[in-house]
Each structure stands twice: as C-alpha cells, then as structure tokens.
Amino acid sequence: MEHPSMMSFVQQGSQTLGEDMLIFAGKWEDGIVEKVLGDSLAEYDAKAVIKELIDSGADVIDLPAPGSRHGITVEMIRELTEYTHRYKPGTLVMCFLDSNVEIADQDTIRQIAILMKQTGADTCDW
C-alpha cells in the first residue's frame, strides 16, 4: 500500500467511526521493497510516518517486537514509542509479534515478551 493511500484510509476510518472505535495503524513491509515501520533500513523517516498516522486519526501505532524481525532492537522501538507518547499524549503503541516467530519454542517467545515490555509499548499483539 502506498504511503498516501495508507494515510487516507486511516483518516477515512477515523472520520467514519469517530470515537466509537480505536484506529490501529502502522506500516508493514511488502516483502520486496518496503520495510516495516521501525526498521532502521527503511527508506523513510519512521517518526514522520508516525506523525502523519496520528494526524490522520490513528489512536494506536503498531510497531514490530524487538527480536521478531532482523535488526529490530529494543532501543529503536523504545525511541519510537517515546516519540509517539510525546507527540500526542494518549496515543498508544502496540508491539506485534511477527509471523516468523509465532511457532518458536516457549523460551524464545518468553524472551521476546520481555523485550516487548522494555520498549514501553502500551500493549502487545501475540
């Protein structure tokens, strides 16, 4: 999904649903060119995307769990979480567990859960 389209979908959802529904938004990779929101190798400014998502009406910003994707660290996600919380207090952050570790052993999942808590995210998606 192109960046401007994503913002218009968030805005349309926010306008249509109003305050009766939380709008979760983030940037997932396309598997070929684009990187997930929070990936330092992405060719876009993650903070600028987060700002646009919030300004478009997102209530919750989705970010990847550290350890669930190559190169995603606690520090990277914590910085984006803190930015989100400072930019618009009340906006939440959700860390999501990527599908490449959903079938991992319990110890791996436990370690990733601890990393997710260290980011300061408000909630986690398993």
Side-chain angles (χ1 to χ4, degrees):
M1 179 184 304
E2 292 181 22
H3 180 76
S5 298
M6 179 175 54
M7 299 307 162
S8 69
F9 287 133
V10 170
Q11 188 173 37
Q12 182 181 4
S14 180
Q15 290 171 350
T16 302
L17 301 170
E19 296 191 17
D20 293 335
M21 192 76 75
L22 288 175
I23 304 293
F24 287 69
K27 178 85 177 77
W28 284 266
E29 66 185 357
D30 65 7
I32 300 168
V33 178
E34 301 232 18
K35 298 291 184 191
V36 70
L37 183 60
D39 190 328
S40 63
L41 297 177
E43 295 184 9
Y44 55 83
D45 178 8
K47 290 178 182 175
V49 172
I50 289 170
K51 180 183 179 300
E52 286 185 71
L53 287 168
I54 293 169
D55 290 347
S56 295
D59 301 299
V60 184
I61 302 299
D62 299 329
L63 298 171
S68 70
R69 303 176 84 50
H70 297 291
I72 303 293
T73 66
V74 169
E75 293 75 20
M76 293 163 58
I77 302 305
R78 182 184 303 126
E79 180 180 342
L80 296 176
T81 298
E82 289 173 358
Y83 173 80
T84 300
H85 290 156
R86 277 193 310 270
Y87 180 71
K88 184 178 179 192
T91 303
L92 303 175
V93 173
M94 179 185 77
C95 270
F96 63 88
L97 187 62
D98 191 80
S99 59
N100 68 355
V101 293
E102 288 176 346
I103 60 169
D105 61 272
Q106 286 183 343
D107 287 337
T108 300
I109 300 298
R110 187 175 292 117
Q111 289 173 14
I112 292 173
I114 291 168
L115 295 175
M116 291 167 100
K117 290 182 79 163
Q118 293 174 4
T119 67
D122 302 289
T123 187
C124 303
D125 175 34
W126 302 99

